[in-house]
Amino acid sequence: MERAVDQLFAQWTGSGSPGASIAVIQNGEIIYGKGYGAANLEYGVPNTPATVFHLASVSKQFTAFAIYLLAQDGKLSLDDDVRKYVPKLHDFGKVITIRHLLHHTSGIRDQWNLLALAGWRLDDEITDDDVARVLFQQTELNFKPGDQFLYSNSGYTLLAMVVKQVSGKMLPEFAKERIFDPLGMSHTHFQDNYGVVVKDRAYSYGRRRDGNYQYVALTYSTVGPSSLFSTVGDLARWDENFYTGEVGGLALLAQMQERGKLNSGTEIAYASGLSIGKYRGLRMVEHAGGDAAYRTNILRFPDQHFSVVVLANAGDLNPAALSFAIADIYLKDQLQPTPDKPAFGDKPEVVVDPKVLDAYVGDYELRPGFIISFSKDNDHLVTRATGQPSFPMYAVSNIAFRLRVVPAEVVFDETVEGGQAQNAVLNQNGASLPLRRIAITKPKLERLKAYEGQFYSAELGVIYDVFVSDGVLKVHHPRGDIDLMPVGTDTFGAAFPIGNLRFACTDDGACNALLIDDGRVKELRFVRVSLTPVGPKSPG
């Protein structure tokens, strides 16, 4: 079994590659722990089970646990209005409870998306004050609290503020005193200053298109949804606490693993910083994380008293998939057969007549507002999805094409000579998603000109300039110009952080507002303004 696990990580071994540290835990004991690849490529320092990693969103379960401890102390209720403790948060006219924040059902927009839309780079130093400022400027929600589940890091930043207000201690101090020290997690801490030196720390590396790795900086100086540092050994202690209740007690831990409910009564799969579900017939509890090029996951099978921890500093490593693959090895006699899923066998690249590719060129709708476009570049297909860059594809048959950057395959309908494919299937992450060819009407230049102007968001305090250049509509974002590609009437798709941009236009053709929806921020409104240019005029 150990050799089988090692084989899973074979491509991330050696001093020339970042990698991971893992722990396989059975009945509270690490039965296999190992490091793969380098913690630091510059000096060739290897990853080991003692290497310290940034945990990204795996941090959330610790923030949630702090809240439950305070509730157990009688200092708050999960059904308290969060504004009782964070009065600077806008009064949206609807009560947002602590429970809403724990379960991502608050409707509060995501902080990282908001900061990116405001012009921040995520490798800028970002502090608690920076996040608070943008959150307190918001006057609208994504939806009514409790109506939907939508992952929002902002909720866990607000929970950290609640911890401070109720306990009188910052989250790093509270967690150390009430969680880490009692559990003997001596290599674990919340880091609220990105520059603090961390002994035995792994640095994060992302893979470039040329196959080489580059350092990816992480400069978060904010805690709550992220910024916990730990080792696989310390996390084994945390994992065992869910069985012993040494800290908090078993009743509290059971409550923390209760799945959230929507206003409709529908139960969601998310609890408090934990995803609850089943895998091949067995109950499981899980949460993954990703910041910069750190990738992390904790997977627990409570009935088998078995867990897997994967902490990685390689951006191209998928800890969730590898955690389940490790579970497949150790629990193979207890798992139900794997359901039928599209399998990616190793298939060699084949040469396709470039004329065949003509049948596939065009725009295909995955869902309303999300288009996958295919174009031809000499002898191969190129694909581009709404809001994403273009990527070349390689053929494995006359109708099937794959990406190299992610494990994804598109299979087109077979066509008669000279015809056009009308449908395709996208196979990715074990799912088969239908694609339907659509005809997108490209707006005429006159119409594009109607969109031009300056648009202001009071919730971000930022101005976007919309203009036409070389027949293409663009938006000047504080970090540069972004192309807007038509995906519907008055609707355009764009690269991160824009996502979908829709102009609000009247019957007479005047477009006086635009609204942005990038997934975790919905209906963010910009209104047309007229500003006098500041500074010297350009010559001529």
Side-chain angles (χ1 to χ4, degrees), residues 97-163:
T97 67
I98 291 174
R99 197 184 301 274
H100 286 141
L101 301 179
L102 289 165
H103 296 152
H104 297 297
T105 58
S106 69
I108 294 175
R109 293 162 170 163
D110 189 273
Q111 62 192 50
W112 304 129
N113 296 55
L114 289 170
L115 287 168
L117 286 164
W120 290 70
R121 292 192 180 99
L122 295 186
D123 56 1
D124 295 334
E125 182 183 5
I126 299 172
T127 68
D128 284 331
D129 287 343
D130 296 327
V131 175
R133 190 175 300 111
V134 73
L135 291 184
F136 296 161
Q137 287 175 190
Q138 302 305 298
T139 57
E140 299 293 338
L141 297 171
N142 283 335
F143 50 81
K144 179 183 174 183
D147 272 5
Q148 300 178 37
F149 167 85
L150 183 61
Y151 198 89
S152 175
N153 287 283
S154 306
Y156 277 74
T157 289
L158 292 169
L159 290 172
M161 295 180 190
V162 172
V163 171

Side-chain angles (χ1 to χ4, degrees), residues 53-197:
F53 290 81
H54 169 93
L55 299 193
S57 287
V58 170
S59 311
K60 288 181 173 67
Q61 57 196 277
F62 293 86
T63 303
F65 191 61
I67 290 290
Y68 278 89
L69 288 173
L70 289 169
Q72 186 180 67
D73 294 343
K75 294 184 176 180
L76 59 80
S77 166
L78 300 187
D79 295 311
D80 285 342
D81 185 339
V82 66
R83 295 188 70 249
K84 176 179 178 181
Y85 309 105
V86 189
K88 289 185 178 180
L89 185 67
H90 180 74
D91 183 354
F92 297 99
K94 305 171 183 65
V95 174
I96 297 173
T97 67
I98 291 174
R99 197 184 301 274
H100 286 141
L101 301 179
L102 289 165
H103 296 152
H104 297 297
T105 58
S106 69
I108 294 175
R109 293 162 170 163
D110 189 273
Q111 62 192 50
W112 304 129
N113 296 55
L114 289 170
L115 287 168
L117 286 164
W120 290 70
R121 292 192 180 99
L122 295 186
D123 56 1
D124 295 334
E125 182 183 5
I126 299 172
T127 68
D128 284 331
D129 287 343
D130 296 327
V131 175
R133 190 175 300 111
V134 73
L135 291 184
F136 296 161
Q137 287 175 190
Q138 302 305 298
T139 57
E140 299 293 338
L141 297 171
N142 283 335
F143 50 81
K144 179 183 174 183
D147 272 5
Q148 300 178 37
F149 167 85
L150 183 61
Y151 198 89
S152 175
N153 287 283
S154 306
Y156 277 74
T157 289
L158 292 169
L159 290 172
M161 295 180 190
V162 172
V163 171
K164 177 184 176 182
Q165 181 64 27
V166 173
S167 72
K169 298 176 181 178
M170 301 291 286
L171 178 61
E173 182 184 3
F174 182 88
K176 182 178 188 302
E177 292 181 3
R178 298 290 301 273
I179 305 172
F180 307 144
D181 285 352
L183 288 176
M185 299 173 67
S186 57
H187 304 289
T188 302
H189 72 282
F190 271 109
Q191 183 147 315
D192 55 6
N193 183 333
Y194 84 96
V196 171
V197 174

